[in-house]
């Protein structure tokens, strides 16, 4: 039985899949190859790049006009800037790939000759020159994980390809496709041999195109999910189908992971006589986030990088990006953390990532929380909003100040501590949803626990700015209207300098929004 794939390239006999060559413009690719172009394929991790390259190699070899070989260069990453060691690894990988995919064993002997005659800085060029001259058809070389190489190793690879370019196709490959996460123009290569970083574009100025492999569209998500229905007879309810698209916006790994968990891991989902429902999709999503599965954990790890923080921190705070460098913005787009919306503005790529990022940042404060008696629960086990308010105010007065230091992003430390507290409240029984956007000036939270839904708006009062109360009441009005609620919380964190201690300035009182909704105003 086939299943949804979340590890490595697809195997058609094992995995539900979309034909890889349908995911890009094959005619345009073949035209570039016919024109002897060198070009780049890039996309975020686990979007299907390797599957597309392998499918292209098989297509070209089956057609017979070219000899195509795919090689993954990641093995050379451990060599770092040890160029002789790295070039032996690169050339050895290409030789092994030629033997595996087209049955050509000669490259191993040519490698030794190339190293002896041209040295490490010319070994790759010599190998490709000899191979091209001895090949009955022009060569097409597909090099994956190129951006795993670093420093002088990456520079020498790019420059050897550039040096041999004018000899194509008789004494160098007809086409070389470089594949990685980032667009080559965005490479900043820090090499020990250079005083300044070298840009990928200057080291490889023969690149004709940079192609980006996109996410699935809504129709492709539907086609993939229906592969399961066609094979097993198990249907997805219309609400479940819509929710997979809404949560993932077509990110290929997320689509496969959600569907795999719902259909193959959850007990109810494994019963093929039962449909895959909206509830199963929601449970699959929540378990993926809580467990920080590998793909999501890799993204969360990126939050520690300064160039990621420079973008994500103001986004979470609802602030403008200010002087965020273009390189930083492009980096997050290449990682797939961000996308551009219909107006061209930057937003988090999909709702699952939007949930993962603040939750990952709140994990430090959450781990630092003291033991808290769940005084917010009524005798029947339901959540009592009045008791929750009292519990939060008591918690904040006692523990807010020291816990702010455990938050990794200083600008949104109060948000993260509050979220950590609310996660302790939900404790696997309820849920906490977040909304935030550049320039909104706020973060919105929606706490759901049993029959209670609580809308919360967070604002920050900073030096030199007016009291955000009026804006907060207006914004909360719109948020509560969207949730269908008549009441909620407005939390204003006073971050101005020279303020009294937290325990003295933390208060609550009742307010009304312009539309007459009842608001509990918390000043903290």
């Amino acid at each position: 039985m086939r299943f949804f794939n979340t590890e490595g390239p697809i195997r058609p006999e094992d995995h539900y899949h979309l034909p890889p060559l349908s995911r890009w413009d094959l005619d345009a690719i073949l035209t570039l190859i016919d024109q002897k172009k060198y070009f780049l394929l890039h996309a975020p991790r686990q979007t299907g790049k390797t599957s597309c390259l392998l499918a292209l190699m098989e297509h070209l070899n089956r057609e017979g006009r070219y000899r195509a070989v795919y090689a993954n260069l990641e093995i050379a990453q451990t060599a770092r800037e040890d160029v002789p060691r790295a070039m032996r690894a690169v050339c050895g990988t290409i030789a092994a790939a030629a033997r595996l995919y087209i049955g050509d064993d000669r490259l191993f002997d040519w490698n030794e000759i190339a190293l002896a005659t041209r040295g490490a800085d010319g070994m790759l060029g010599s190998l490709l020159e000899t191979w091209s001259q001895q090949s009955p058809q022009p060569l097409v070389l597909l090099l994956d994980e190129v951006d795993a190489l670093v420093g002088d190793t990456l520079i020498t690879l790019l420059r050897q390809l550039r040096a041999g370019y004018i000899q194509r196709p008789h004494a160098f490959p007809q086409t070389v496709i470089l594949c990685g996460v980032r667009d080559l123009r965005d490479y900043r290569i820090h090499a020990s041999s250079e005083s300044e970083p070298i840009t990928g574009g200057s080291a490889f100025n023969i690149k004709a195109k940079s192609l980006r492999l996109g996410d699935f569209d809504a129709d492709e998500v539907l086609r993939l999910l229906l592969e399961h229905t066609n094979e097993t007879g198990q249907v997805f309810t219309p609400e479940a189908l819509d929710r997979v698209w809404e949560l993932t916006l077509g990110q290929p790994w997320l689509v496969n992971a959600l569907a795999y968990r719902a259909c193959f891991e959850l007990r109810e989902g494994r019963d093929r006589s039962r449909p895959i429902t909206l509830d199963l999709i929601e449970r699959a999503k929540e378990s993926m986030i809580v467990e920080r599965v590998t793909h999501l954990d890799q993204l969360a790890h990126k939050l520690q990088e300064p160039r990621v923080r420079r973008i994500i921190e103001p986004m979470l705070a609802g602030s403008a990006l200010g002087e965020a460098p273009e390189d930083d913005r492009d980096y997050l787009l290449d990682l797939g953390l961000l996308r551009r919306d219909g107006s061209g503005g930057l937003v988090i790529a999909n709702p699952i990532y939007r949930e993962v990022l603040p939750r990952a940042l709140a994990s430090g404060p959450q781990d630092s929380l003291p033991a808290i008696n769940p005084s917010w629960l009524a005798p029947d086990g339901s959540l009592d909003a009045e008791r929750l308010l009292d519990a939060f105010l008591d918690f904040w007065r006692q523990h807010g100040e020291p816990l702010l230091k455990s938050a990794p992003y200083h600008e949104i430390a109060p948000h993260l501590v509050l979220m950590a507290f609310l996660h302790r409240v939900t404790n696997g029984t309820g849920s906490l949803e977040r909304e935030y956007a550049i320039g909104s000036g706020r973060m919105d939270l929606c706490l759901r626990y049993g029959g209670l839904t609580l809308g919360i708006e967070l604002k920050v009062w900073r030096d030199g700015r007016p009291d955000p109360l009026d804006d907060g009441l207006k914004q909360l009005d719109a948020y509560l209207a969207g949730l269908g609620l008549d009441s909620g919380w407005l939390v204003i964190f006073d971050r101005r300098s020279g303020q009294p201690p937290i325990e003295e300035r933390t208060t609550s009182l009742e307010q009304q929004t312009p539309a007459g909704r009842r608001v509990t105003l918390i000043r903290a």
Side-chain angles (χ1 to χ4, degrees), residues 197-449:
I198 295 176
T199 63
S202 64
F204 195 69
N205 58 9
I206 54 173
K207 179 200 71 174
K209 289 280 187 180
S210 287
L211 306 177
R212 193 181 194 277
L213 187 64
D215 292 335
F216 298 150
D217 61 28
D219 287 340
E220 288 173 324
V221 170
L222 179 61
R223 283 165 48 200
L224 181 66
L225 297 178
L226 291 183
E227 289 261 302
H228 176 72
T229 299
N230 294 336
E231 183 142 324
T232 67
Q234 184 177 38
V235 301
F236 290 79
T237 66
E239 296 80 10
L241 292 172
D242 290 343
R243 190 57 174 158
V244 172
W245 168 252
E246 291 166 1
L247 288 171
T248 67
L249 294 181
Q251 203 288 334
W253 187 89
L254 291 178
V255 174
N256 279 280
L258 263 183
Y260 181 84
R261 192 161 287 229
C263 298
F264 292 90
E265 290 191 355
L266 297 179
R267 183 183 299 276
E268 299 93 324
R270 293 198 298 268
D271 182 349
R272 299 297 179 233
S273 67
R274 302 178 62 173
I276 300 300
T277 62
L278 175 62
D279 176 65
L280 288 176
I281 296 299
E282 292 290 349
R283 286 168 54 192
K285 179 263 293 185
E286 189 64 20
S287 65
M288 284 168 53
I289 293 173
V290 170
E291 292 175 22
R292 289 269 293 268
V293 289
T294 301
H295 175 89
L296 300 180
D297 195 50
Q298 289 174 339
L299 290 179
H301 181 71
K302 293 290 183 182
L303 295 172
Q304 302 173 25
E305 297 183 16
R307 54 184 169 174
V308 174
R309 177 175 179 163
R310 283 193 290 266
I311 304 294
I312 297 299
E313 186 168 26
M315 289 188 79
L316 290 171
S319 306
L321 293 185
E323 297 294 325
E326 183 179 8
D327 284 353
D328 293 348
R329 287 178 271 131
D330 287 341
Y331 179 64
L332 269 73
L333 287 166
D334 283 348
L335 288 177
L337 271 173
L338 303 183
R339 62 178 174 85
R340 296 198 181 277
D341 63 13
S343 65
L346 291 176
V347 295
I348 302 297
N350 55 66
I352 291 181
Y353 291 176
R354 193 165 65 231
E355 173 71 15
V356 166
L357 301 186
R359 189 179 294 203
L361 290 169
S363 64
Q366 191 169 349
D367 288 342
S368 302
L369 288 181
I372 305 174
N373 178 44
S375 57
W376 47 80
L377 294 178
D380 63 359
S382 63
L383 181 63
D384 185 305
E386 294 299 324
R387 295 184 184 198
L388 178 62
L389 174 63
D390 291 339
F392 172 68
L393 294 174
D394 184 57
F395 159 81
W396 192 258
R397 290 179 181 121
Q398 290 189 60
H399 307 294
E401 195 74 57
L403 284 173
L404 290 175
K405 300 174 183 177
S406 67
Y409 283 14
H410 175 72
E411 288 297 310
I412 56 169
H415 306 57
L416 299 178
V417 175
L418 173 56
M419 284 188 284
F421 172 81
L422 294 177
H423 278 302
R424 180 67 62 87
V425 171
T426 58
N427 195 29
T429 302
S431 66
L432 184 65
E433 302 163 7
R434 303 155 181 82
E435 291 187 15
Y436 49 90
I438 292 173
S440 67
R442 69 189 198 269
M443 176 188 283
D444 298 326
L445 304 177
C446 179
L447 175 69
R448 301 182 191 274
Y449 193 107

Side-chain angles (χ1 to χ4, degrees), residues 121-183:
D121 291 319
M123 180 182 182
L124 174 63
S126 177
L127 171 66
L128 298 182
E129 180 180 314
T130 302
W131 189 18
S132 299
Q133 290 173 326
Q134 298 296 323
S135 175
Q137 293 92 23
L139 293 174
V140 175
L141 188 58
L142 296 78
L143 300 179
D144 202 358
E145 300 287 354
V146 171
D147 51 354
L149 308 182
V150 298
D152 284 332
T153 292
L154 180 54
I155 290 172
T156 191
L157 180 136
L158 295 175
R159 286 181 170 165
Q160 286 183 75
L161 292 177
R162 186 176 68 179
Y165 176 77
I166 59 173
Q167 301 166 188
R168 73 197 197 290
H170 303 297
F172 220 66
Q174 165 109 356
T175 290
V176 175
I177 303 175
L178 303 180
C179 184
V181 171
R182 302 203 65 195
D183 191 336

